[in-house]
Amino acid sequence: MKTQQQRYFDVDFKDLLITLNCFSLITFDHHHLHKIRETEEMNKSPSISVLPEGCISDLISCTSPRDASRFAAISKLFNAAADSDSVWERFLPSDYRDVIGRAVSAPVVFDSKKQLYVQLSDSYLLLDRGRLAFKLDKETGKKCYMLGARDLSIAWQDDARYWEWGPVPGSRFAEAGILREVWWLDIRGIIDTSVLSQESIYGAYLVYRVTQDAHGLGVPAKTIVTLGEIRNETSNVYLQQPRVPRRDRVVVTHTMRKDGWMEIKLGEFYCSDGDEGEVEMVLHEHLSWKSGLIVEGIEVRPN
């Protein structure tokens, strides 16, 4: 008797061939076709398990990392196919060797491409003098970056009267920017679209904390995200909740992250294949004196 999982993956022979043809990946030799046809004659509901492991791997590689992990739980055959390097190589970005070669710590060690994928999607990998961090989106395999505070352009950042720099518990980077006091708050980050996943909508987020004695951050700021001729502006962005709730307008406030930091969305942009250029991400506020802001960086991740 077939298990529920086996019945779920039984398919009509014609539907199976249509599926494979749509993926445009597999060319059956006469032996495999004969095997499938023999199975069809013996059983009107042939199982996909008659396919060779390589064919199943090719099919799974056209799904998603999450689906591949689910397929691995079906049977030993699917487990071997879903965990194969040929599948997870497809989920890794084409330039992953160059990326991990820029790691500032010890060389990235992995026994399989799936293990590498898990490592890169579980936590950020520091690159380029430790001022840039890279990871993969666990669900899609698309590239994420975080520009550390030292990699940003911040007004008055080198003036010790306004900003100090040093390690902060829980930070990914050796230094974070700690605001002493300033009137002119202007934070800018730039990233080249060529390092991102193409045909993807990205969001840019300022990652930060505030100290217990922070003040002046509950006033409206403005964010701007620019790519080429496309410029998106957002007003009424609050790093801290305003003391008096604004009911007369839509406001943007922060959300808490799983890593213990806060984030606020600066805007979105579309990364199109072939449209290379720089994305500029800005937050500025020039309305009052403010202090107690701790800047971790700007994260760019797919939405």
Side-chain angles (χ1 to χ4, degrees):
M1 182 177 293
K2 293 183 179 181
T3 66
Q4 184 177 358
Q5 286 180 328
Q6 288 173 327
R7 288 196 299 271
Y8 180 80
F9 284 95
D10 281 348
V11 293
D12 180 82
F13 177 67
K14 291 181 180 179
D15 291 340
L16 176 61
L17 289 182
I18 290 172
T19 302
L20 298 179
N21 184 58
C22 289
F23 283 119
S24 301
L25 286 173
I26 301 171
T27 302
F28 290 109
D29 58 28
H30 291 296
H31 171 73
H32 293 141
L33 282 174
H34 180 67
K35 188 175 180 181
I36 293 174
R37 286 167 180 160
E38 277 186 344
T39 305
E40 187 184 36
E41 291 174 1
M42 295 172 61
N43 186 341
K44 291 184 179 180
S45 297
S47 172
I48 197 173
S49 63
V50 301
L51 292 175
E53 182 183 313
C55 295
I56 297 175
S57 294
D58 284 341
L59 282 173
I60 294 174
S61 69
C62 288
T63 59
S64 69
R66 183 172 67 171
D67 288 336
S69 298
R70 293 168 65 186
F71 283 131
I74 294 171
S75 67
K76 290 182 178 180
L77 175 63
F78 270 84
N79 181 272
D83 285 353
S84 66
D85 278 355
S86 62
V87 168
W88 291 91
E89 178 92 22
R90 292 284 297 273
F91 296 148
L92 290 165
S94 59
D95 61 346
Y96 75 89
R97 292 182 181 85
D98 293 333
V99 172
I100 63 177
R102 292 157 50 197
V104 299
S105 58
V108 179
V109 178
F110 55 94
D111 294 325
S112 67
K113 298 298 173 56
K114 181 179 180 179
Q115 186 186 61
L116 175 61
Y117 184 95
V118 171
Q119 285 182 235
L120 294 178
S121 60
D122 275 349
S123 60
Y124 270 102
L125 179 68
L126 290 180
L127 312 175
D128 304 345
R129 299 177 299 160
R131 295 185 175 187
L132 180 68
F134 169 85
K135 73 178 296 188
L136 296 178
D137 179 77
K138 185 168 292 188
E139 298 289 323
T140 65
K142 293 183 178 182
K143 293 186 277 188
C144 313
Y145 282 92
M146 185 180 291
L147 287 67
R150 274 297 193 186
D151 217 25
L152 304 178
S153 175
I154 302 176
W156 308 105
Q157 66 187 55
D158 296 322
D159 193 323
R161 293 175 298 172
Y162 305 117
W163 289 89
E164 63 178 292
W165 295 86
V168 171
S171 175
R172 299 163 182 82
F173 305 101
E175 290 184 304
I178 305 166
L179 176 61
R180 290 179 179 274
E181 190 173 47
V182 75
W183 180 282
W184 193 275
L185 180 63
D186 194 299
I187 302 172
R188 298 171 183 266
I190 293 177
I191 191 167
D192 198 301
T193 59
S194 64
V195 305
L196 301 175
S197 298
Q198 303 302 296
E199 305 302 328
S200 302
I201 298 175
Y202 273 88
Y205 301 82
L206 179 70
V207 181
Y208 67 100
R209 287 179 186 161
V210 295
T211 62
Q212 290 185 344
D213 57 351
H215 71 85
L217 300 175
V219 296
K222 176 183 286 188
T223 64
I224 305 169
V225 174
T226 306
L227 173 57
E229 301 296 322
I230 302 175
R231 175 185 171 99
N232 295 315
E233 294 189 14
T234 305
S235 300
N236 300 311
V237 178
Y238 288 81
L239 295 172
Q240 277 190 310
Q241 291 282 358
R243 291 184 178 180
V244 180
R246 302 302 301 262
R247 303 183 185 278
D248 58 335
R249 66 190 68 178
V250 176
V251 301
V252 179
T253 57
H254 72 271
T255 57
M256 293 300 302
R257 296 164 54 98
K258 293 180 180 179
D259 58 10
W261 291 83
M262 303 157 68
E263 69 177 25
I264 199 158
K265 192 170 187 177
L266 304 178
E268 294 183 347
F269 61 93
Y270 181 67
C271 188
S272 178
D273 188 17
D275 291 344
E276 294 187 2
E278 291 183 336
V279 181
E280 183 180 52
M281 304 154 288
V282 180
L283 178 138
H284 62 76
E285 187 274 293
H286 314 143
L287 297 177
S288 65
W289 286 101
K290 57 199 71 69
S291 69
L293 177 67
I294 303 174
V295 179
E296 164 85 335
I298 291 179
E299 184 177 52
V300 178
R301 65 175 189 257
N303 284 348

